[in-house]
Structures are given as structure tokens and as C-alpha cells.
């Protein structure tokens, strides 16, 4: 394949970048917004809370103007559920409706397509106090939230994402502040019941979108991390396939086909963790037809067979840690891959492999909604931020994305994480991802000045050339 001429990115390719409401907006309990689980959770010691974040609530015009300067075709952002509906159900907050009207209109002023995530880790605290996703009423509340968004923004928003990284919320909710299993003995069963209700909420939101907004497109947005076997031993290959089914394919199998992945279901049976399925549920799930698949990619995982007799307590995990299940698989580090400053493995070739696998399984257009490098960026004395390491990371991944297009993958867009610096879920403001530097620290808000990084000007050139010019000079 290396001797073939690269296919061009599609002419209407959606170049952009992403943020999420609670990590970037600030004004966390202002202008009528109710608290979310992110506002009431215990913040890791030494990191910032979300009260001010990047203060995009007050800087959205400046931020979007900078995105327009870069040439963005789309901006992926989330709508804070509790800013629109403070208690999750019931009364709608007119100030919240107005804010997102302003953000959407500002994007459209520059011909930037809004790509709206409906739910990004920020369940309203009032719903969480009433059982959260263990309560089936939360699924109905989500559908109500979707209806309010469609009614208010559907005349201008063409692209919708349902739930960001549902798989991460189920597998690692304790890390990101979404876990709610208070007073529950069988935690795994409770989590997969929550997962089932979330799947139903997503399906109903997709069905409603197609009914209310026939010209719009909607899709899921999991975090996909394809898994390598640690050796060519058959038992390691089986372990990797099983981890991938639990981590990745269950969520996309359900979103696209409305069925439970058979391998995952069999494991849930052995764990006494199968969810209760009510009459009509599966028909609803099969009726939801996504128009595309969005997914977040940072790296791959590696796994090996994990004998039960070797089982030990699991160490610290995060979104990109390949976790373990004794008797089935154990996540291990890959010595062939370099790592970021924060320990995440870097695997651009794995990105191409993942794109190919997702497309071959589901045959839907793909947009990448997160991909990026978190680093300790430094503001130099001359006022610049020389983030060549981020440029290198993105160069390598875009090159592999183009090779995936050569392979036949239908790519519709690429939105790295993140448009502007924001608060990392568990590393605060030290871990920066943005093309735009926000001048603040974990506890010193400074002046919140926006400063384009070197990667800002590089990405501007990439977009202007529709991916043809990736050079860093």
C-alpha cells in the first residue's frame, strides 16, 4: 500500500476540534445553571475545580473567532444538561437556552458547523441524587432533554452526538466522577443495568432526532481503544478479543445493530451482571439507526491471558488503561510504544488499524471527536508556546487517518482534543491539550488570556490545504 498515491481528504471534510461544557465553560453555578455531578464531586487534591475552568462562558466569542482564524469547518462542544434543565427534568432555564443559541449563532457566523454532544459526563446532580442511571426515569429525562434541544437548536444544528464515552462511564466511572453505586452490593450488575438504561436513552434520542429533524444526522461517541494480544499465543489472542468486546464492541454493536455482543453477554452471565430487559426494550434499541459513528481515540491497549491464581489487586487505572478480569484477560503495557508525559501510550499506526476495524464492522461514516496529546505546555518569555511535540503527535495520526482513507474507510471529519486548553478530568490545568493556550494555573486564574500556540498556526495550514500540508516549519 505504501506505493499507492494517497487519496485526498473529502472536499467537505469536517476539520475542527472539541471541548466539553464542564471542562471549559466555567460559570458552573451561575446564570440559572443547576449543579452537575462534576460540580459536587470530590476534586483530586492539587487540581482545580470547574467553577471557572477556561471561562468560555464569557470568552466564547473570542474563542470561536480564533477557531475561525484556524479555518475550522466544525466545532464539537457539549451542552450542559443542568444549564438547560437545572434539575434534569421540569423547568427549562431561559438563560441556558440563550447561551447556547449565542454559541451556535457565533459558530454559524463564521460558517463553522456546530457538532453538539448532548451528554458529556455531567449528569444533573438532582438526577444523580435520585439514583442516577440506576433509575429508569433518568433515561426518560434524557429524552426530554433531547427534545428541548431539538426544539431550540434543531433549525441550525445538523450534527448531533448522543453520549460521550459511555463505555468509560461504565468501566471507569470512579475516575471521572460519574460512578453512583451507593448502597449496592452487586456493583457490576448495577453498572450494566445503568448501561442498559443509557443505551435505551441513546436509542430513543436517535429515534426522536430522526422524527423531529429529518435533515439532521446523529451518532454515538464512545472511546475506542483497539486491543493487541501480548503474544501470538492463542490464549493471549482470545484475551485481547474479549477485552476489545467488553471495552469497545458492546457499545457500538448496541448503537448500530441494537443487539448485545454475545461474548460480553456470556461474561456478564458468569458475573451475575446481566441487566433486566423489559418487554419492548430490544425493539427500541434495534429501531435506532445512527447516521455515522463518532469515536475518541488516544491509543490502543494490550492484553494477555490472566490466570485466576495470579489475581491481585488492580493498581491505578484511567481512561486509557487496559484493565483486567481474572480468568479472562489482563491489561499490560506495550514496550513497543512511546508514552506521553502523563503515561499514555502513543500509537498512530494503531489509529489506522482501529479505523479499519470500526469501519469493517459497521460500515458507517466516521468522525473522530477526540485525539490529542496532553502535556505540560510552557509559556515562553517571548509569549510563545512551542508545542512541537503536539504537532508531531497530530501529524502522525493524520497521516495514518489518510492511509485509512486509502484503505477504503469513509471518513467525514477530525476533531482533536482540544480546541482550547481546559481542565483535564483528573489532572487539572497542568495537563494541556489545546491549540489555544489559556493563561491560568490550577489555582491562579491570572488573566485567562488566549494565546495561539505553535500548533495553532500549524493546524491552520493543515486545514487550508485540506490535509495535504502537514509540514512543521
Amino acid at each position: 500500500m505504501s506505493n499507492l498515491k494517497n487519496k485526498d481528504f473529502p472536499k467537505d471534510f469536517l476539520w475542527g476540534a472539541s471541548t466539553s461544557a464542564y471542562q471549559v465553560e466555567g460559570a458552573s453555578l451561575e446564570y440559572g445553571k443547576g449543579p452537575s455531578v462534576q460540580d459536587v464531586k470530590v476534586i483530586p487534591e492539587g487540581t482545580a475545580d470547574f467553577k471557572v475552568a477556561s471561562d468560555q462562558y464569557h470568552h466564547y466569542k473570542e474563542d470561536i473567532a480564533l477557531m475561525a482564524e484556524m479555518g475550522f469547518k466544525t466545532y464539537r462542544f457539549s451542552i450542559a444538561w443542568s444549564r438547560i434543565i437545572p434539575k434534569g427534568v421540569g423547568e427549562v432555564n431561559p438563560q441556558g437556552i440563550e447561551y447556547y443559541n449565542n454559541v451556535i449563532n457565533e459558530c454559524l457566523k463564521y460558517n463553522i458547523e456546530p457538532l453538539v454532544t448532548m451528554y458529556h459526563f455531567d449528569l444533573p446532580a438532582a438526577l444523580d441524587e435520585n439514583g442516577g442511571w440506576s433509575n429508569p426515569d433518568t433515561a426518560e429525562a434524557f429524552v426530554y432533554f433531547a427534545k428541548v434541544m431539538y426544539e431550540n437548536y434543531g433549525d441550525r444544528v445538523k450534527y448531533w452526538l448522543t453520549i460521550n464515552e459511555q463505555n468509560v462511564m461504565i468501566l471507569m466511572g470512579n475516575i471521572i466522577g460519574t460512578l453512583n453505586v451507593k448502597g449496592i452490593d452487586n456493583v457490576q450488575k448495577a453498572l450494566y443495568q445503568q448501561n442498559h438504561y443509557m443505551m435505551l436513552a441513546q436509542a430513543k434520542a436517535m429515534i426522536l432526532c430522526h422524527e423531529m429533524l429529518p435533515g439532521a444526522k446523529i451518532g454515538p461517541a464512545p472511546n475506542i481503544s483497539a486491543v493487541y494480544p501480548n503474544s501470538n499465543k492463542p490464549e493471549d489472542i482470545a484475551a485481547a478479543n474479549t477485552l476489545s468486546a467488553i471495552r469497545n464492541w458492546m457499545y457500538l454493536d448496541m448503537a448500530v445493530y441494537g443487539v448485545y455482543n454475545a461474548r460480553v453477554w456470556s461474561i456478564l452471565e458468569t458475573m451475575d451482571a446481566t441487566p433486566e430487559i423489559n418487554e419492548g426494550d430490544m425493539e427500541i434499541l434495534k429501531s435506532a439507526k445512527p447516521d455515522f459513528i463518532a469515536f475518541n481515540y488516544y491509543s490502543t491497549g494490550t492484553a494477555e491471558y490472566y490466570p485466576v491464581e495470579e489475581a491481585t489487586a488492580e493498581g491505578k487505572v484511567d481512561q486509557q488503561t487496559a484493565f483486567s478480569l481474572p480468568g479472562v484477560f489482563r491489561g499490560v503495557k506495550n514496550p513497543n510504544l512511546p508514552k506521553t508525559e502523563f503515561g499514555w501510550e502513543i500509537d498512530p499506526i494503531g489509529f489506522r488499524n482501529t479505523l479499519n476495524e470500526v469501519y469493517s464492522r459497521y460500515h458507517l461514516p466516521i468522525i473522530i471527536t477526540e485525539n490529542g496529546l496532553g502535556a505540560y505546555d510552557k509559556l515562553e518569555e517571548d509569549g510563545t508556546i512551542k508545542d512541537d511535540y503536539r504537532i508531531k503527535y497530530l501529524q502522525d495520526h493524520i497521516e495514518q487517518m489518510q492511509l485509512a482513507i486509502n484503505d477504503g474507510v469513509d471518513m467525514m471529519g477530525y476533531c482533536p482534543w482540544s480546541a482550547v486548553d481546559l481542565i483535564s478530568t483528573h489532572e487539572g490545568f497542568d495537563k494541556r491539550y489545546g491549540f489555544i493556550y489559556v493563561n491560568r494555573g490550577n489555582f491562579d486564574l491570572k488573566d485567562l488570556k488566549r494565546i495561539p500556540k505553535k500548533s495553532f498556526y500549524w493546524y491552520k495550514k493543515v486545514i487550508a490545504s485540506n490535509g495535504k500540508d502537514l509540514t512543521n516549519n
Side-chain angles (χ1 to χ4, degrees):
M1 296 295 287
S2 60
N3 294 325
L4 294 179
K5 181 182 177 182
N6 279 345
K7 294 179 183 177
D8 291 339
F9 283 92
K11 290 182 180 179
D12 56 354
F13 193 74
L14 294 171
W15 296 99
S18 298
T19 62
S20 85
Y22 79 93
Q23 292 172 276
V24 76
E25 280 180 5
S28 64
L29 296 176
E30 300 177 63
Y31 309 103
K33 179 181 176 293
S36 79
V37 293
Q38 300 297 338
D39 298 314
V40 300
K41 75 177 186 181
V42 177
I43 302 295
E45 187 175 352
T47 61
D49 59 30
F50 301 102
K51 291 176 183 174
V52 176
S54 304
D55 198 31
Q56 190 174 80
Y57 193 95
H58 299 106
H59 290 259
Y60 72 90
K61 289 187 177 182
E62 179 183 359
D63 288 347
I64 294 170
L66 286 167
M67 296 176 205
E69 184 182 336
M70 270 192 280
F72 277 24
K73 309 301 182 186
T74 189
Y75 172 36
R76 182 232 178 177
F77 61 92
S78 73
I79 288 179
W81 189 342
S82 63
R83 192 178 295 286
I84 297 292
I85 308 170
K87 295 183 178 180
V89 289
E91 187 177 352
V92 174
N93 173 27
Q95 293 178 89
I97 296 293
E98 181 184 15
Y99 172 69
Y100 292 111
N101 266 323
N102 292 339
V103 170
I104 289 165
N105 291 339
E106 198 69 16
C107 286
L108 294 175
K109 183 172 87 173
Y110 296 104
N111 295 315
I112 297 172
E113 286 282 0
L115 174 59
V116 172
T117 308
M118 300 165 74
Y119 170 47
H120 194 127
F121 298 166
D122 54 357
L123 187 71
L127 293 180
D128 196 57
E129 290 165 5
N130 199 32
W133 285 105
S134 290
N135 186 340
D137 290 345
T138 298
E140 295 308 313
F142 180 79
V143 179
Y144 170 65
F145 173 44
K147 182 174 183 288
V148 171
M149 286 188 286
Y150 298 156
E151 289 173 340
N152 285 278
Y153 310 127
D155 58 330
R156 285 155 293 149
V157 176
K158 298 177 184 177
Y159 297 100
W160 298 87
L161 307 174
T162 51
I163 299 174
N164 179 76
E165 296 191 346
Q166 179 176 335
N167 52 340
V168 173
M169 284 191 279
I170 297 303
L171 297 169
M172 297 150 197
N174 58 319
I175 300 295
I176 57 175
T178 61
L179 181 69
N180 182 351
V181 289
K182 294 186 284 286
I184 293 173
D185 294 327
N186 189 337
V187 170
Q188 290 301 314
K189 189 171 184 66
L191 284 171
Y192 283 97
Q193 189 67 58
Q194 292 176 12
N195 182 66
H196 183 73
Y197 291 144
M198 242 185 274
M199 293 288 191
L200 282 169
Q202 171 174 263
K204 290 180 178 181
M206 287 183 180
I207 293 166
L208 186 63
C209 180
H210 290 137
E211 289 175 355
M212 293 181 65
L213 310 174
K217 296 183 183 300
I218 189 167
N223 178 306
I224 299 299
S225 183
V227 184
Y228 301 129
N230 198 32
S231 77
N232 58 4
K233 294 178 182 177
E235 57 266 39
D236 286 351
I237 294 170
N241 288 341
T242 303
L243 172 54
S244 195
I246 289 176
R247 195 198 184 287
N248 303 310
W249 312 135
M250 180 178 72
Y251 300 89
L252 287 175
D253 285 357
M254 185 61 79
V256 178
Y257 301 128
V259 297
Y260 272 98
N261 182 280
R263 181 73 181 110
V264 177
W265 188 266
S266 70
I267 288 175
L268 295 183
E269 286 179 327
T270 67
M271 297 165 58
D272 187 27
T274 55
E276 293 180 12
I277 299 176
N278 293 322
E279 185 177 351
D281 284 1
M282 300 312 296
E283 287 73 18
I284 292 169
L285 292 164
K286 288 177 181 175
S287 298
K289 304 293 184 184
D291 301 290
F292 61 88
I293 290 172
F295 72 85
N296 304 340
Y297 174 88
Y298 290 94
S299 188
T300 46
T302 305
E304 63 185 13
Y305 175 63
Y306 189 9
V308 174
E309 59 271 18
E310 295 180 12
T312 58
E314 189 143 70
K316 181 182 176 182
V317 299
D318 62 27
Q319 296 99 311
Q320 291 309 125
T321 302
F323 60 99
S324 301
L325 183 63
V328 187
F329 56 78
R330 171 167 50 201
V332 297
K333 298 183 186 306
N334 190 329
N336 301 299
L337 299 177
K339 295 181 176 62
T340 71
E341 291 178 292
F342 290 86
W344 288 17
E345 293 174 347
I346 301 173
D347 188 4
I349 295 174
F351 185 34
R352 177 187 181 183
N353 295 338
T354 303
L355 286 167
N356 272 287
E357 187 163 8
V358 171
Y359 189 69
S360 68
R361 291 178 69 97
Y362 305 107
H363 302 285
L364 287 172
I366 295 171
I367 183 168
I368 296 303
T369 41
E370 290 183 30
N371 172 236
L373 179 73
Y376 292 105
D377 292 344
K378 180 183 178 184
L379 179 61
E380 305 288 349
E381 291 185 5
D382 64 359
T384 62
I385 302 96
K386 299 178 177 65
D387 58 340
D388 293 274
Y389 40 84
R390 180 168 293 109
I391 293 171
K392 170 65 173 168
Y393 178 98
L394 295 171
Q395 277 176 326
D396 292 345
H397 284 78
I398 292 172
E399 285 175 355
Q400 293 296 323
M401 179 168 57
Q402 184 163 41
L403 290 173
I405 291 173
N406 284 1
D407 298 335
V409 176
D410 183 358
M411 293 296 307
M412 59 180 279
Y414 179 67
C415 294
W417 189 261
S418 55
V420 304
D421 284 344
L422 38 68
I423 294 185
S424 175
T425 302
H426 42 90
E427 271 114 1
F429 233 92
D430 289 337
K431 188 180 187 182
R432 294 174 182 265
Y433 281 92
F435 292 110
I436 301 163
Y437 187 89
V438 177
N439 189 35
R440 65 156 290 181
N442 263 322
F443 303 105
D444 183 357
L445 293 178
K446 300 181 183 179
D447 58 5
L448 295 165
K449 182 179 179 180
R450 272 51 177 166
I451 306 169
K453 303 177 187 178
K454 187 177 180 181
S455 60
F456 175 104
Y457 300 103
W458 171 81
Y459 196 46
K460 178 179 180 179
K461 183 173 62 173
V462 172
I463 297 172
S465 67
N466 197 28
K468 290 183 178 179
D469 187 355
L470 301 181
T471 58
N472 177 15
N473 51 38

